Amino acid sequence: MKYTNNELISMYKTMVLGRIYDDVLWEENQKGRLYSMFHFSTGQEAIGTAAAHALRENEPFMPSHRCRPLHLHRLDIYKYLAEQVGIKDGYNMGISGDPHLTLLDKGFIPNPGVLGQGCPIATGFAFALKYMKTGKAMVQLMGDGTYNQGAVYEAMNWAVVQKLPIVYVVENNAFAMTTTQDVYVGTEALSDRAKGLGMDSITVNGNDILAMREIMDIALDRARISSTPTMIEAVTYRRQGHFAGDTADYRDKSFHEQMLLKHPDPILNYEKVLIQRNILTQDEMDIIKVETRKMITGACDMVYEKMQNPANKPSIQDIIKPEFTYASPMEGLI
Amino acid sequence: MSKMLYMSAMAQAVQEEMEADKNIVYMGEDIGKFGGTFFKNGLFPIYGKERVIEMPIAENLIVAAALGMATAGMRPICELMYADFISLAFDPICNEAPKIRFQSAGKASAPMTLISFQGTIDGSGSVHSQCVEAWIANVPGLKLVVPSIASDAKGLLKTAIRDNDPVVYLTHKSVMYINGDVPDGEYTIPFGKARVAREGRDVTIVAWQRCYMVAMEAAQELEEEFGISVEVIDPRTLIPLDKATILESVKKTGRFLVVHDAPKKYGVGGEIASMVAEEAYHDLKSAPLRLGAPSIPIPFFKLEEQVIVSKQQIKEAVKKLVNE
């Protein structure tokens, strides 16, 4: 076995953390207690988890908007949640929220609001890693909808030409917002497009954490050692609507049922493996889930309590500071 | 002090900065062996392809990659061959780069310079001749530099490269090949400091680049022909804008005209004229005036001359201000 038991358990915990965080946040939304616009990573946790664990601690990444495990793996839950619901204790004082989380010191390259536009930015970042001889590699994650933006191909083409240390992961979850792939995919596999640019690419089961982790390790090592870019198509399925609250009425029922069967829950998949290999028992996994939930609900309670005091929410006076928009003092921001 | 082309002053600025900081790279289209289309920067023979990165003709990539490099700790300079093509890189320069600092609550920055070449010179038609200040000027987080003369081209470019914000440095094809006296070696000009190019008592004109050149000629003729004394202010940077110098001048003259190549409607001249109206109302003897192009695309070849602001138009506008 390639990975130690500790590492295998750690990956399980990251997946569970991602899942339960989204579950709890949705419950909080329903209760009307903590509200935040967010996108579920549910059912796609293996991908973000594989990236989180394959990257070295000081290596950067640009997440997709469904990367909860990857986000949480490096961050403090309380400060993250505080950012998501917009109070001052958040990482960026509630200014960025989780979609535009800008935390370069923790390796988060902000994911642009216009998805797909992140690809050339991430690729420029990879150029800098090589230019500055850091020896680091990086990952950019995007969805199959994002993958149709022209900027993606401008960037991936250049990554091949310049031999940049970057791994592009496309989470193929069968939806781009409300549309299905009959609207936006003409090739057999999404990975075929990267081959057309001269980039090595592969399609893997994105719901199999061990397969994902192994391919991510290989791709990142290639990037670190020989500065070669790779594209990984991680096939998965979006179990929820596009955003929290999207009831997905546009989704065909029989298609949905078929896809759920075709792409079984990555956490349940992994639990079977862990039991089979005598790494964790069902009871132990249940305890992990209970403890994870307790930790997250605890953070929710803390954040909720903080929110009750209006002084903890940023006001226009807090954020209109010139130093938040410009490096040097600037007159006339208002 | 040496006499050199505006373009050469730019090249000197880039070379001096690249010499001083290894994290500066220059990236753009056709800047390898060809040496650059409008701006012959002279960099490739010195720094080679390691630091003079000839890019695919893919504007979105050029600017977005520069942004990625800037967030990673480099200090890239990227160039687009025509300012009109900024539309292809609008997302990185207007949607992403200026938000890095804000969304990190002031912790992160994107120190990058985008150089591009705007305006008319040779009748290149509707998509190779526009002045695009207004496209950029409404975006918080960007700085906007519009040098008119060779020495400013150098001093402002050095400041732009050293600035820790994304800076859009728009030069104009009609002024890039004009000679001027340029200080040797270290020479920087702070942003937000306008230059009073000609002192006068009767009317204040704010103009930059080609319109600045035309305004200077008009001012000379107005003095000689009608005895009207015109003060010409070159703002040098539009963001930040040196309000104090403009307001001080209006206090003295009581009359204000702003001139630019871009269409008058919704142009940056509207912002500057409104600022004067709001903040110098009691100093004004007549309503502030604006001159700009009509709201039509720039036509091809010689017809362009009839669209952009002429010396005659400036003289008439000044006379109107004085006679009111």
Side-chain angles (χ1 to χ4, degrees):
Chain A
M1 188 63 215
K2 196 174 163 191
Y3 304 105
T4 64
N5 283 4
N6 275 347
E7 180 63 8
L8 292 170
I9 294 168
S10 175
M11 286 197 284
Y12 176 70
K13 286 181 174 170
T14 305
M15 286 176 87
V16 165
L17 178 61
R19 170 70 55 89
I20 296 180
Y21 184 93
D22 276 356
D23 287 349
V24 171
L25 193 56
W26 179 236
E27 288 159 20
E28 291 284 337
N29 265 254
Q30 297 289 82
K31 282 189 260 180
R33 226 166 69 112
L34 297 181
Y35 178 78
S36 178
M37 212 291 275
F38 71 99
H39 304 87
F40 284 103
S41 301
T42 308
Q44 299 180 209
E45 291 90 348
I47 303 163
T49 301
H53 286 260
L55 282 162
R56 292 177 185 154
E57 211 171 303
N58 61 359
E59 283 179 328
F61 62 88
M62 181 183 281
S64 76
H65 58 297
R66 294 188 201 284
C67 274
R68 197 72 68 206
L70 181 49
H71 277 194
L72 297 176
H73 183 64
R74 287 196 188 183
L75 300 180
D76 173 74
I77 305 272
Y78 171 76
K79 286 178 82 171
Y80 180 77
L81 187 62
E83 182 63 33
Q84 224 176 355
V85 301
I87 61 172
K88 283 184 195 170
D89 283 355
Y91 276 105
N92 295 326
M93 284 182 59
I95 294 174
S96 71
D98 70 310
H100 305 300
L101 199 60
T102 307
L103 274 178
L104 288 158
D105 55 334
K106 294 202 180 293
F108 282 62
I109 309 166
N111 188 18
V114 182
L115 303 179
Q117 295 296 330
C119 196
I121 298 172
T123 306
F125 205 100
F127 182 96
L129 293 181
K130 184 177 178 183
Y131 180 87
M132 299 194 295
K133 299 188 171 60
T134 61
K136 292 178 191 173
M138 60 172 285
V139 173
Q140 193 221 339
L141 296 105
M142 64 184 119
D144 50 329
T146 303
Y147 196 50
N148 299 307
Q149 280 258 337
V152 171
Y153 302 95
E154 291 189 14
M156 288 175 63
N157 178 50
W158 191 59
V160 173
V161 172
Q162 289 280 348
K163 296 191 173 55
L164 300 181
I166 183 166
V167 179
Y168 301 100
V169 179
V170 176
E171 305 188 41
N172 181 355
N173 69 8
F175 282 97
M177 275 193 72
T178 69
T179 56
T180 42
Q181 295 194 339
D182 53 316
V183 173
Y184 61 88
V185 179
T187 48
E188 194 67 33
L190 297 181
S191 55
D192 290 348
R193 293 190 200 165
K195 289 191 176 71
L197 299 170
M199 188 182 298
D200 293 329
S201 66
I202 190 166
T203 299
V204 291
N205 179 357
N207 282 14
D208 178 344
I209 176 67
L210 295 179
M212 272 311 300
R213 173 67 195 274
E214 268 178 50
I215 197 68
M216 202 77 91
D217 280 344
I218 292 168
L220 277 168
D221 270 341
R222 272 160 48 101
R224 288 175 197 125
I225 295 161
S226 60
S227 197
T228 308
T230 308
M231 182 269 179
I232 299 170
E233 174 189 6
V235 181
T236 182
Y237 182 63
R238 194 184 85 193
R239 295 171 165 246
Q240 307 275 0
H242 170 59
F243 56 90
D246 174 9
T247 50
D249 296 336
Y250 47 82
R251 191 172 59 194
D252 183 75
K253 206 171 164 223
S254 64
F255 172 78
H256 183 53
E257 280 161 6
Q258 266 176 32
M259 290 299 271
L260 288 176
L261 286 175
K262 202 172 157 190
H263 303 283
D265 186 323
I267 295 182
L268 297 182
N269 272 351
Y270 192 35
E271 288 184 349
K272 282 183 204 149
V273 175
L274 293 172
I275 291 173
Q276 208 179 15
R277 295 189 187 170
N278 292 321
I279 293 163
L280 284 173
T281 65
Q282 188 63 53
D283 283 350
E284 286 168 329
M285 291 188 293
D286 289 344
I287 291 169
I288 290 172
K289 285 179 190 168
V290 169
E291 282 175 352
T292 304
R293 177 171 273 274
K294 222 160 94 183
M295 175 183 69
I296 297 167
T297 52
C300 285
D301 291 342
M302 272 168 71
V303 167
Y304 182 73
E305 200 176 305
K306 272 280 167 89
M307 280 171 66
Q308 303 317 302
N309 182 353
N312 292 323
K313 295 183 184 174
S315 69
I316 186 75
Q317 281 77 23
D318 294 319
I319 64 167
I320 208 161
K321 290 178 185 158
E323 65 267 31
F324 281 10
T325 303
Y326 295 100
S328 39
M330 288 277 274
E331 202 192 341
L333 293 190
I334 307 170
Chain B
M1 197 75 84
S2 312
K3 205 167 240 350
M4 66 177 77
L5 295 178
Y6 177 121
M7 173 182 78
S8 310
M10 282 174 69
Q12 200 175 72
V14 178
Q15 278 175 29
E16 287 174 11
E17 292 308 296
M18 283 181 77
E19 207 51 53
D21 183 351
K22 274 215 149 35
N23 279 330
I24 299 172
V25 293
Y26 196 94
M27 51 205 290
E29 295 151 320
D30 301 289
I31 55 165
K33 282 185 187 155
F34 185 59
T37 300
F38 289 110
F39 173 29
K40 297 294 180 193
N41 59 40
L43 299 170
F44 191 71
I46 308 171
Y47 299 106
K49 63 179 185 179
E50 302 294 312
R51 295 181 67 193
V52 180
I53 306 155
E54 197 163 38
M55 295 293 289
I57 302 174
E59 285 78 5
N60 190 336
L61 168 70
I62 294 171
V63 180
L67 169 56
M69 294 177 196
T71 52
M74 291 176 65
R75 198 169 276 276
I77 306 166
C78 59
E79 174 192 306
L80 298 182
M81 194 186 295
Y82 284 89
D84 314 63
F85 302 170
I86 286 177
S87 59
L88 290 158
F90 226 67
D91 193 70
I93 198 62
C94 290
N95 255 343
E96 317 300 347
K99 289 158 190 168
I100 296 288
R101 182 176 299 282
F102 186 68
Q103 288 182 163
S104 66
K107 296 191 290 287
S109 65
M112 60 185 283
T113 305
L114 167 58
I115 296 179
S116 199
F117 313 99
Q118 66 172 1
T120 54
I121 186 170
D122 55 358
S124 297
S126 59
V127 189
H128 293 73
S129 309
Q130 297 166 91
C131 280
V132 301
E133 302 96 347
W135 296 7
I136 301 297
N138 200 230
V139 180
L142 290 178
K143 287 174 180 160
L144 178 54
V145 185
V146 286
S148 303
I149 59 169
S151 54
D152 287 357
K154 176 175 176 179
L156 292 168
L157 186 47
K158 284 172 81 88
T159 305
I161 296 166
R162 292 179 197 181
D163 198 279
N164 285 327
D165 288 323
V167 178
V168 179
Y169 181 101
L170 289 176
T171 173
H172 191 300
K173 299 192 282 294
S174 283
V175 296
M176 281 180 69
Y177 310 107
I178 295 174
N179 267 312
D181 289 325
V182 178
D184 300 318
E186 177 65 6
Y187 177 62
T188 58
I189 298 169
F191 287 172
K193 292 274 173 263
R195 182 172 59 88
V196 180
R198 180 190 173 97
E199 289 193 18
R201 297 176 310 276
D202 301 325
V203 176
T204 301
I205 298 182
V206 168
W208 54 97
Q209 299 184 332
R210 192 196 68 85
C211 290
Y212 158 76
M213 308 295 295
V214 181
M216 288 295 278
E217 287 172 27
Q220 182 65 29
E221 292 181 15
L222 285 159
E223 180 91 63
E224 288 166 7
E225 294 165 18
F226 307 101
I228 302 172
S229 166
V230 177
E231 181 142 305
V232 179
I233 296 176
D234 173 2
R236 302 204 278 203
T237 58
L238 294 172
I239 306 173
L241 180 70
D242 183 358
K243 286 161 59 173
T245 298
I246 296 170
L247 292 171
E248 202 180 311
S249 174
V250 172
K251 201 179 176 81
K252 177 172 66 176
T253 63
R255 300 181 186 90
F256 179 79
L257 170 67
V258 57
V259 192
H260 57 57
D261 264 344
K264 174 178 159 182
K265 278 188 194 167
Y266 298 100
V268 292
E271 168 62 25
I272 302 172
S274 315
M275 185 276 291
V276 169
E278 279 178 356
E279 302 193 26
Y281 183 74
H282 295 289
D283 298 322
L284 287 168
K285 296 172 187 150
S286 53
L289 286 186
R290 295 170 291 154
L291 281 177
S295 289
I296 61 166
I298 310 268
F300 202 60
F301 204 40
K302 287 283 172 196
L303 261 176
E304 78 178 17
E305 289 167 13
Q306 295 180 44
V307 173
I308 55 181
V309 175
S310 66
K311 186 168 62 184
Q312 199 51 36
Q313 277 176 286
I314 296 176
K315 286 168 75 176
E316 278 161 22
V318 168
K319 282 193 275 178
K320 186 175 173 227
L321 280 168
V322 174
N323 294 332
E324 252 178 25

